[in-house]
Amino acid sequence: MYIDFKELIEQPDAVDICIIGAGAAGISMAVTLAERGHRVLLCEGGDADYSERSQDCYRGETVGDPYIPLDGARLRHLGGSTNHWGGVCRPLDRYDFTAKAAASETAWPIGHDALSPYYHAAASVLDLVPTPVDQSVAGSGFKRIYFSLDNPARLKDKYAETLRKSTTLECCLTANLVALETQDGKVSSATFKNYQGDYRQVRARYFVLACGGIENSRLLQWCNQQTNHRLIPQAAALGRYWMEHPHATVGKALLFKPALLGLNDEYNVFLSPTAHSIDSRQILNCGLRLHRMNVEATQALIDELAAQAPMLAGRLRIWQTQGQVIHGVVLRAAWEQEPHFDNRIELSEELDALGIPRSRLVWQQSDLDRHTIRESMLLLGEYLRDNEIGRLQMADWLADTPVKLPTEGELAGRHHMGGTRMSLNAAEGIVNTDCRLFAQDNVYIAGSSVFASAGHANPTLTLVQLALRLCDHLDNRLTQAPSEAGEAPLT
């Protein structure tokens, strides 16, 4: 049920779990844990719907490569960015959890098998249709991949009745986290502030921070400063290894045998390099998206080819008169970014309306990021040419040496990952394999900020898988005897 800000309760152990942030991770966890009978308080800093006062808290600055304005990249109200997302989802590949040959930092401290049991439950939460199994494209170095593209869930709407009627789940809006108190390796309380300047303190057995791929880092840095670094004593990695999925239109292609790539029957086909190609080409993962052109655009591409390769163009015209189908395609891409220590979220000197320093994003694509998209396109071009399947035309910026990335256009997927990296030790990350802060026995982080690397797949499905895995962990702790629940070692 919904409660007003003034009703936030302060007595000890009033709730089992206080979840801070009501986006994909926060809502999925709150509903799941409440259904299991646990007392859950879900605190959302935004309003029920979009408001300028809430969205302004996302405003910040960027340093480095051109990027989307931070307050335009995600939504800050109930339901978070699930209020406008497109539902494009697939799991990370198995090899995305391993150390890639070109970047050992891509390794996760957990494997694919740790998340795969949660695939169907996460797909159900998000109303995703399970995707077909990926298919190898013989001799290409690529596999054909699939995304769920159907109508996705707007979690605020899907769980509206649960949020309104549940007797074990309380939801409070305009409750903005401003402080965490810690004592003896546990957070004893969280302090919230509304837009009128009122404060409330909440006590809970466990706290989960689920505020997004920038806010988790920002709020932890601020709270850590206030506790004189007792919250996260080893904070070298806090805010670091921040990642995005660079996006761009990367070229065009003429396909003489489009059926080999599935483009006779479908208008959009998705490809990604195999694990062998990733290792042999010394690249990261990449998703290529082939979008069929209409007849007029395809003919214009044939005419363009005729000026450069008249003999080949002549063969194309003969094939066309014989009824052979030729398709032009536009190629777009989203590729994996190297987890790099210098890409980070830090606190700026400017304060938001709540008195918290705004975010400063320091973000720059590396030589490996550039190498990944160029080599992926070269690999596809070689396959098309060597097998007389087609010809590829790379975008001008990809043909430059060194590659000069676009400074305008789509730029990135608005996929904020990293900053509270999962790791085996506190020197290299912020949370352990259970998504718990290393130095606090009862504080957990949910969402894509815990990603150790990013693959190329949109992150929402993976972060919900992680959230449901965390639900099982908390459920196990909460159902232990109280004395046992407090004995978990800090590692």
Side-chain angles (χ1 to χ4, degrees), residues 30 32 64 84 160 182 184 214 271 317 375 384 443 454 472 487 491:
T32 300
H84 69 175
T182 181
D184 300 327
I214 289 180
L271 303 173
R317 293 191 181 96
E375 282 297 310
L384 298 179
V443 181
D472 278 355
E487 293 175 357
T491 57

Side-chain angles (χ1 to χ4, degrees), residues 384-445:
L384 298 179
R385 180 198 63 206
D386 295 347
N387 294 276
E388 280 301 317
I389 294 172
R391 292 292 187 274
L392 183 145
Q393 179 187 71
M394 289 200 298
D396 290 343
W397 58 269
L398 268 175
D400 290 337
T401 304
V403 171
K404 297 178 180 177
L405 294 164
T407 58
E408 55 185 24
E410 193 172 6
L411 297 180
R414 296 172 169 82
H415 303 159
H416 300 164
M417 299 162 289
T420 66
R421 179 182 177 88
M422 183 190 291
S423 177
L424 291 174
N425 60 76
E428 298 177 349
I430 300 303
V431 299
N432 68 7
T433 55
D434 292 323
C435 296
R436 177 175 60 76
L437 289 184
F438 281 104
Q440 305 299 325
D441 182 61
N442 65 336
V443 181
Y444 294 82
I445 309 300

Side-chain angles (χ1 to χ4, degrees), residues 282-409:
Q282 294 283 298
I283 61 175
L284 302 174
N285 212 342
C286 178
L288 296 178
R289 308 174 182 198
L290 283 64
H291 306 294
R292 263 175 59 178
M293 294 177 175
N294 59 30
V295 173
E296 292 77 12
T298 296
Q299 187 58 51
L301 197 56
I302 292 173
D303 294 341
E304 187 177 346
L305 179 63
Q308 302 173 16
M311 292 182 62
L312 177 57
R315 287 159 55 196
L316 295 186
R317 293 191 181 96
I318 293 173
W319 292 343
Q320 284 180 303
T321 61
Q322 294 174 344
Q324 183 168 330
V325 175
I326 298 172
H327 285 321
V329 295
V330 173
L331 289 104
R332 295 179 59 246
W335 60 99
E336 180 176 10
Q337 184 174 24
E338 177 183 8
H340 200 287
F341 183 79
D342 288 338
N343 283 335
R344 62 193 184 273
I345 302 298
E346 56 187 26
L347 300 180
S348 74
E349 296 180 359
E350 182 183 352
L351 304 183
D352 66 16
L354 299 166
I356 301 174
R358 294 189 182 277
S359 296
R360 178 187 291 117
L361 168 63
V362 180
W363 182 66
Q364 197 148 19
Q365 296 184 56
S366 70
D367 290 341
L368 179 55
D369 301 340
R370 293 170 166 81
H371 176 71
T372 291
I373 184 56
R374 181 183 173 88
E375 282 297 310
S376 296
M377 288 291 283
L378 289 173
L379 179 63
L380 179 60
E382 291 164 9
Y383 166 67
L384 298 179
R385 180 198 63 206
D386 295 347
N387 294 276
E388 280 301 317
I389 294 172
R391 292 292 187 274
L392 183 145
Q393 179 187 71
M394 289 200 298
D396 290 343
W397 58 269
L398 268 175
D400 290 337
T401 304
V403 171
K404 297 178 180 177
L405 294 164
T407 58
E408 55 185 24

